[in-house]
């Protein structure tokens, strides 16, 4: 799927990356914790998040994320747009909530970076999953 198709599926507004809409994507990861993104997202994925600060661009740059989609009707901060332009990382925004945006992409063939986490977390050691 191309970023152009992602834009249409999510009725998204493009802030950075009009020239990159033909970029192909196959996977996505949704999170507001950038530490989770660093731990589980894959290179070339779409990042869906409710965050709007420049940290989303810095994290995406480290992982070579294909595009950032900001959810819940939020808009990127001006400094976020500026950094994304410098690093050539597309940013879009959609009014859909994270759950709905991810579901719409999944329905059209985008899969997650990971299906489930292997190993034990601190939570699972004290609770039954």
């Amino acid at each position: 799927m191309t970023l152009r198709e992602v834009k249409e599926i999510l009725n998204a507004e493009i802030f950075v990356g009009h020239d990159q809409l033909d970029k192909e994507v196959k996977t996505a990861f949704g999170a507001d914790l950038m530490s989770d993104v660093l731990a589980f997202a894959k290179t070339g994925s779409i990042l869906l998040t409710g965050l709007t600060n420049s940290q989303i661009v810095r994290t995406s740059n480290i992982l070579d994320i294909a595009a950032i989609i900001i959810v819940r009707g939020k808009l990127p901060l001006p400094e976020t747009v500026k950094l994304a332009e410098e690093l050539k990382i597309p940013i879009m925004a959609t009014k859909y909530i994270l759950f709905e945006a991810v579901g719409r992409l999944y329905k059209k063939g985008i899969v997650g970076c990971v299906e489930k986490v292997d190993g034990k977390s601190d939570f699972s050691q004290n609770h039954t999953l």
Side-chain angles (χ1 to χ4, degrees), residues 24-80:
E24 292 281 333
V25 291
K26 296 179 182 178
T27 57
F29 191 80
D32 287 345
L33 288 173
M34 291 301 102
S35 58
D36 282 352
V37 176
L38 288 169
F40 301 112
K42 291 182 181 175
T43 295
S45 295
I46 300 167
L47 170 61
L48 293 101
T49 185
L51 299 178
T52 62
N53 60 39
S54 61
Q55 208 50 39
I56 60 175
V57 177
R58 294 185 193 289
T59 301
S60 295
N61 189 50
I62 291 167
L63 291 173
D64 197 20
I65 292 292
I68 300 165
I69 300 173
I70 300 173
V71 298
R72 299 192 289 270
K74 296 181 178 184
L75 301 177
L77 298 173
E79 59 267 23
T80 303

Side-chain angles (χ1 to χ4, degrees), residues 78-94:
E79 59 267 23
T80 303
V81 172
K82 182 178 180 206
L83 183 59
E85 288 172 341
E86 289 172 14
L87 297 174
K88 300 188 184 326
I89 299 172
I91 294 183
M92 299 182 209
T94 182

Side-chain angles (χ1 to χ4, degrees), residues 1-6 19-25 44 64-67 88-90:
M1 175 180 304
T2 65
L3 291 180
R4 184 179 321 279
E5 292 169 302
V6 169
D19 60 335
Q20 296 182 59
L21 294 179
D22 292 325
K23 186 184 286 187
E24 292 281 333
V25 291
D64 197 20
I65 292 292
K88 300 188 184 326
I89 299 172

